[in-house]
Amino acid sequence: MAALTPPENPESDPRVRAVFDDIRATRGTDFINNIWHYLAADPGLLERTWAEIKAVMATPSSLDPLTKELIYLAVSVVNNCEYCVHSHTAQARAKGMTPQQHGEFLQIVALAAKTNVLSNALQLPVDDVFRVEKSGG
Amino acid sequence: MAALTPPENPESDPRVRAVFDDIRATRGTDFINNIWHYLAADPGLLERTWAEIKAVMATPSSLDPLTKELIYLAVSVVNNCEYCVHSHTAQARAKGMTPQQHGEFLQIVALAAKTNVLSNALQLPVDDVFRVEKSGG
Amino acid sequence: MAALTPPENPESDPRVRAVFDDIRATRGTDFINNIWHYLAADPGLLERTWAEIKAVMATPSSLDPLTKELIYLAVSVVNNCEYCVHSHTAQARAKGMTPQQHGEFLQIVALAAKTNVLSNALQLPVDDVFRVEKSGG
Amino acid sequence: MAALTPPENPESDPRVRAVFDDIRATRGTDFINNIWHYLAADPGLLERTWAEIKAVMATPSSLDPLTKELIYLAVSVVNNCEYCVHSHTAQARAKGMTPQQHGEFLQIVALAAKTNVLSNALQLPVDDVFRVEKSGG
Amino acid sequence: MAALTPPENPESDPRVRAVFDDIRATRGTDFINNIWHYLAADPGLLERTWAEIKAVMATPSSLDPLTKELIYLAVSVVNNCEYCVHSHTAQARAKGMTPQQHGEFLQIVALAAKTNVLSNALQLPVDDVFRVEKSGG
Amino acid sequence: MAALTPPENPESDPRVRAVFDDIRATRGTDFINNIWHYLAADPGLLERTWAEIKAVMATPSSLDPLTKELIYLAVSVVNNCEYCVHSHTAQARAKGMTPQQHGEFLQIVALAAKTNVLSNALQLPVDDVFRVEKSGG
């Protein structure tokens, strides 16, 4: 159940159709997942969100695709976004994540959450050596 | 300012000394950053936390060291752990993160936070195709 | 499924009955939504929670009702409270939120989440000009 | 630095004076910590916040004072409220928290944060046996 | 202290200069606050972030400017973004927020945080009447 | 639905069998709840997670078992971990939490969330008296 009723025939709107066509072409599949169906209720928001996802996640860059996906998944886990955890775990698998790598990913996010809590509970002072700006220009 | 006064001469405790020695040996540096000085107030917690950090982050595994560091940093950013953001940004640089990669990391965590909020605000239903368990055994 | 079994006949308790009567009178409807049925397990908590909701949200004040509802919804989205996102999206609609305003609300919370993450990832220093206390008494 | 300039002579307002007097009497000390000085900018908010703190935290109840303080501190740590972590760590010490108990508290909040992340990353289904409502009326 | 050293002469880069000029023109002031100085380290990220802020926050729309600012501030408070809380409290004041409205804003975000926690602690089931999608197309 | 397919016959792996046997012996029940079935996909992670839970939560210590469980539950509520809220509410009941204590727990976590938000919204400066490190060695 969502908090919004998505449009029934989203592609009857040419702006939505253009985005959906680009999603299909970029991903090489006819499948359009739910977030795009719901964002279609606001074509401007749909266009900008897809443009940003495409530019950041579907364009070759200085980080490899699986690393990018795991960073995205880590954020989604901490924010406890159910939809995002499912969709980005699926995408990480599609980009080659092995069960062993998934296990390591889980260990890292769990360990980070743990030391984050320790650091915040102790309100640790930052070491001078980490203060890059001081040593910078 | 921290919420705990760290021990003045932590290495007078042999358990603390052993952990600090292992940190120095593992990292190849004499520098011991603050979190270990404060955790030294509880030698058992110090030992277990270092053992876990060493096993997960300082041992070769199926994910490369920079990817692991960026996953750790992503969690720390979302939890807004000031100490962790500084220390793990420094460690990511030490493991080779370029300014361009830092910029891409920032874009990914910002974009993920954005789509997490959109998904949660819409309470999006998860697509059946992402439900791996259904298609599993 | 909830983590608590709500009382079967909550209004048999006169304290609960009084709160439910006031909810119905204040809202002009016979409908009592789930949170009140569950809080009825602790009449004191029920009374105080409703008194606070009534005073803050159902009393004319210096902010208009839709603005107040959108602030409430923004908090609920970031805390990813499923129940609250649904109930306060419904209430925002009841208070006149148009689909266009909903779209703009989504854009704002998504953008804020994004720049929050950028600011926290960079641990930005606060500009002196924003430090109102310095210029104060 | 705060985001609000607190009133210079808060006790010149009789409503603020009455709350401050009650804080001093309840706690048996002349010291008024910062949150009350800042909330004094809005006497109504000051009155309600103190009344709630007094009723929940400073009144004998079915949970002992230190347990209550540690629950409060756990929430504050996860929300990373700097002010609250400091003030409630101080209050837990004032209520008898030993260094050993502080160490155990840290272990529990760190472990909980870790398994929370694992559970959310796996989107674990809730066991039927935990569904109390099913077995209820 | 930030986790990044900002460029010393950011406006020597024509892309940065163009963004800074647009910020000055849009806001009618020569002042450029810190976030833009730091984002200048990555001109592409600077351009996209400013373009989005300008489109969403500095363009007349179906929500009034103060309501938009308060939604932004509510998100920033829950994410505990220090920089954002200061900058957006300042902007809310610049857009006409009175001390009374600030007090009401504080009450609403505090109350929402409270009922969010109650709802999540009870894992409340969503009322059917809030399930708009069911009654939709 | 989970984001991982758990192994069908987990106890065919002797490492998993050993952990499950220890869970049953420690808890005095044949029931193994879901988190262990899913973590069984990674025996090392299963072993370490159970070892930590057993050491921290199932070993007599300086905090009583119910207090420990309520601290764990408080963290889980704020992180909005559905699985953890259900399982640790059940465990708190098993350790003797009365309905009255549950009501007080709810009040405390709700009040803490509220004052956390107020403190963060005001970015309150920490009182010198809370700065233990200053007065320490």
Side-chain angles (χ1 to χ4, degrees):
Chain A
M1 180 193 71
L4 181 86
T5 309
E8 273 191 75
N9 298 302
E11 300 195 51
S12 61
D13 179 322
R15 293 170 68 189
V16 173
R17 175 65 188 259
V19 171
F20 280 24
D21 279 346
D22 195 34
I23 293 174
R24 285 186 282 250
T26 302
R27 295 183 167 171
T29 169
D30 275 354
F31 177 65
I32 301 284
N33 55 309
N34 276 341
I35 189 170
W36 309 112
H37 285 279
Y38 285 81
L39 290 180
D42 184 330
L45 183 56
L46 173 74
E47 287 170 342
R48 287 186 299 274
T49 307
W50 167 246
E52 196 169 349
I53 288 277
K54 185 181 178 182
V56 176
M57 299 302 286
T59 306
S61 70
S62 68
L63 293 169
D64 67 276
L66 180 55
T67 293
K68 290 160 73 169
E69 203 62 47
L70 293 176
I71 293 167
Y72 207 115
L73 183 56
V75 174
S76 304
V77 165
V78 182
N79 280 330
N80 194 14
C81 174
E82 181 189 13
Y83 185 81
C84 318
V85 168
H86 282 291
S87 62
H88 289 279
T89 301
Q91 294 212 28
R93 286 195 180 102
K95 289 178 180 169
M97 180 180 73
T98 64
Q100 189 184 358
Q101 289 173 323
H102 193 197
E104 291 193 1
F105 169 82
L106 293 172
Q107 280 186 281
I108 298 167
V109 291
L111 176 57
K114 186 183 189 174
T115 60
N116 288 177
V117 154
L118 288 174
S119 301
N120 288 343
L122 295 173
Q123 292 287 313
L124 292 178
V126 179
D127 300 82
D128 282 341
V129 74
F130 296 145
R131 300 179 175 271
V132 296
E133 203 172 350
K134 290 286 171 56
S135 64
Chain B
M1 180 194 69
L4 181 87
T5 309
E8 272 192 75
N9 298 302
E11 300 195 52
S12 61
D13 180 322
R15 292 171 69 189
V16 173
R17 176 63 187 261
V19 171
F20 280 25
D21 279 346
D22 195 34
I23 293 174
R24 285 185 283 251
T26 303
R27 295 184 167 169
T29 169
D30 276 352
F31 177 64
I32 302 283
N33 54 311
N34 277 339
I35 189 169
W36 309 112
H37 285 279
Y38 285 81
L39 290 180
D42 183 330
L45 182 56
L46 173 73
E47 288 169 343
R48 286 186 299 275
T49 307
W50 168 245
E52 195 169 350
I53 288 276
K54 186 182 176 183
V56 175
M57 298 303 286
T59 306
S61 69
S62 68
L63 292 170
D64 68 275
L66 180 54
T67 293
K68 289 160 72 168
E69 203 62 47
L70 293 177
I71 293 168
Y72 207 116
L73 182 57
V75 173
S76 304
V77 165
V78 182
N79 280 329
N80 195 14
C81 174
E82 181 188 13
Y83 185 80
C84 317
V85 168
H86 282 292
S87 62
H88 289 278
T89 301
Q91 293 212 30
R93 286 194 180 102
K95 289 179 180 169
M97 180 180 73
T98 64
Q100 188 184 358
Q101 288 174 323
H102 194 197
E104 291 192 2
F105 169 82
L106 293 172
Q107 279 186 281
I108 297 167
V109 292
L111 175 57
K114 186 182 188 174
T115 59
N116 288 179
V117 154
L118 289 175
S119 301
N120 288 342
L122 295 174
Q123 293 288 312
L124 291 178
V126 179
D127 300 81
D128 282 341
V129 74
F130 295 146
R131 300 180 176 268
V132 295
E133 205 173 346
K134 291 286 171 56
S135 63
Chain C
M1 182 193 68
L4 180 86
T5 309
E8 272 191 76
N9 297 303
E11 300 195 52
S12 61
D13 180 322
R15 293 170 69 190
V16 173
R17 175 65 188 259
V19 171
F20 280 25
D21 279 346
D22 195 34
I23 293 174
R24 284 186 282 251
T26 304
R27 294 183 168 170
T29 169
D30 275 353
F31 177 65
I32 302 282
N33 54 310
N34 277 340
I35 189 170
W36 310 112
H37 284 279
Y38 285 81
L39 290 180
D42 184 329
L45 183 56
L46 173 73
E47 288 170 342
R48 287 186 299 275
T49 307
W50 167 245
E52 195 169 350
I53 289 276
K54 186 180 177 183
V56 176
M57 299 303 287
T59 305
S61 70
S62 69
L63 292 170
D64 68 275
L66 180 54
T67 293
K68 290 160 72 169
E69 203 62 48
L70 293 176
I71 293 168
Y72 208 116
L73 183 57
V75 174
S76 304
V77 165
V78 182
N79 280 329
N80 195 14
C81 174
E82 182 189 12
Y83 185 81
C84 317
V85 168
H86 282 291
S87 61
H88 289 279
T89 301
Q91 294 212 29
R93 286 194 180 102
K95 290 177 182 170
M97 180 180 73
T98 64
Q100 188 184 359
Q101 288 173 324
H102 194 196
E104 290 192 2
F105 169 82
L106 293 172
Q107 279 187 281
I108 297 167
V109 291
L111 176 57
K114 185 182 189 175
T115 60
N116 287 179
V117 155
L118 288 174
S119 301
N120 288 343
L122 295 173
Q123 293 287 313
L124 291 178
V126 178
D127 301 81
D128 283 340
V129 74
F130 295 145
R131 300 180 175 269
V132 295
E133 203 172 352
K134 289 289 171 56
S135 64
Chain D
M1 179 194 71
L4 180 87
T5 308
E8 273 191 75
N9 298 304
E11 300 194 51
S12 61
D13 179 324
R15 293 171 69 189
V16 173
R17 177 63 187 261
V19 171
F20 280 25
D21 280 346
D22 194 35
I23 293 174
R24 285 185 281 250
T26 302
R27 295 184 167 168
T29 169
D30 275 354
F31 177 65
I32 302 283
N33 54 311
N34 277 340
I35 189 171
W36 309 113
H37 285 279
Y38 285 81
L39 290 180
D42 183 331
L45 183 57
L46 173 74
E47 288 170 341
R48 286 186 300 273
T49 307
W50 166 246
E52 194 170 350
I53 289 277
K54 186 181 178 183
V56 175
M57 298 302 287
T59 305
S61 70
S62 69
L63 292 170
D64 68 274
L66 180 55
T67 293
K68 289 160 75 168
E69 203 62 47
L70 294 176
I71 293 167
Y72 207 116
L73 183 56
V75 174
S76 303
V77 165
V78 183
N79 279 330
N80 195 14
C81 175
E82 182 189 13
Y83 185 82
C84 317
V85 168
H86 281 291
S87 61
H88 289 279
T89 300
Q91 294 212 29
R93 286 195 180 101
K95 290 177 181 169
M97 179 180 73
T98 65
Q100 189 184 358
Q101 289 173 323
H102 194 196
E104 290 191 4
F105 169 82
L106 293 172
Q107 279 186 280
I108 297 167
V109 292
L111 176 57
K114 187 182 188 174
T115 59
N116 288 178
V117 154
L118 288 175
S119 301
N120 288 342
L122 295 174
Q123 292 287 312
L124 292 178
V126 179
D127 301 80
D128 282 341
V129 74
F130 295 145
R131 299 180 176 269
V132 297
E133 204 173 348
K134 289 286 170 57
S135 63
Chain E
M1 179 194 71
L4 180 88
T5 309
E8 274 191 75
N9 299 302
E11 301 194 51
S12 61
D13 179 323
R15 293 171 68 189
V16 173
R17 176 65 188 260
V19 171
F20 280 25
D21 280 346
D22 195 34
I23 292 174
R24 285 184 283 250
T26 303
R27 295 183 166 170
T29 168
D30 275 354
F31 177 64
I32 303 283
N33 54 310
N34 277 339
I35 189 171
W36 309 113
H37 284 279
Y38 285 81
L39 290 180
D42 183 330
L45 183 56
L46 173 74
E47 289 169 342
R48 286 186 299 274
T49 306
W50 167 246
E52 195 169 349
I53 289 277
K54 186 180 177 183
V56 175
M57 299 301 287
T59 305
S61 69
S62 68
L63 292 169
D64 68 275
L66 179 54
T67 293
K68 290 161 72 168
E69 203 61 46
L70 293 176
I71 294 167
Y72 208 115
L73 183 57
V75 174
S76 304
V77 165
V78 183
N79 280 329
N80 195 14
C81 173
E82 182 188 13
Y83 185 82
C84 317
V85 168
H86 282 292
S87 61
H88 289 278
T89 301
Q91 294 212 29
R93 286 194 180 102
K95 290 178 181 169
M97 180 181 72
T98 64
Q100 189 184 357
Q101 288 174 323
H102 194 196
E104 290 192 1
F105 170 82
L106 293 173
Q107 280 187 280
I108 297 167
V109 291
L111 175 57
K114 186 183 190 175
T115 59
N116 288 179
V117 154
L118 288 175
S119 302
N120 288 342
L122 295 174
Q123 293 287 314
L124 292 178
V126 179
D127 300 81
D128 282 341
V129 73
F130 295 146
R131 300 179 176 269
V132 296
E133 204 173 347
K134 290 287 170 56
S135 63
Chain F
M1 180 194 70
L4 181 86
T5 309
E8 272 191 75
N9 299 302
E11 299 194 53
S12 61
D13 180 322
R15 294 170 69 189
V16 173
R17 177 64 187 261
V19 171
F20 280 25
D21 280 345
D22 195 34
I23 293 174
R24 285 186 281 249
T26 303
R27 295 184 167 169
T29 170
D30 275 354
F31 178 64
I32 302 283
N33 54 310
N34 276 340
I35 188 170
W36 309 113
H37 284 280
Y38 285 82
L39 290 180
D42 184 330
L45 182 56
L46 173 74
E47 289 170 342
R48 286 187 298 275
T49 307
W50 167 245
E52 195 169 350
I53 288 276
K54 186 181 177 183
V56 175
M57 298 302 288
T59 305
S61 70
S62 69
L63 293 170
D64 68 275
L66 179 54
T67 293
K68 289 160 73 169
E69 203 62 47
L70 293 176
I71 294 167
Y72 208 116
L73 183 56
V75 174
S76 303
V77 165
V78 183
N79 279 330
N80 195 14
C81 174
E82 182 189 13
Y83 185 82
C84 317
V85 168
H86 282 291
S87 61
H88 289 279
T89 301
Q91 294 213 29
R93 286 195 179 102
K95 290 178 181 169
M97 179 180 73
T98 64
Q100 188 184 359
Q101 288 174 323
H102 194 196
E104 290 192 3
F105 169 82
L106 293 172
Q107 279 186 281
I108 298 167
V109 292
L111 176 57
K114 185 182 188 174
T115 59
N116 287 178
V117 154
L118 288 174
S119 300
N120 288 342
L122 294 173
Q123 293 287 312
L124 292 178
V126 179
D127 300 81
D128 282 341
V129 74
F130 295 146
R131 301 179 175 270
V132 296
E133 203 172 351
K134 289 288 171 56
S135 64

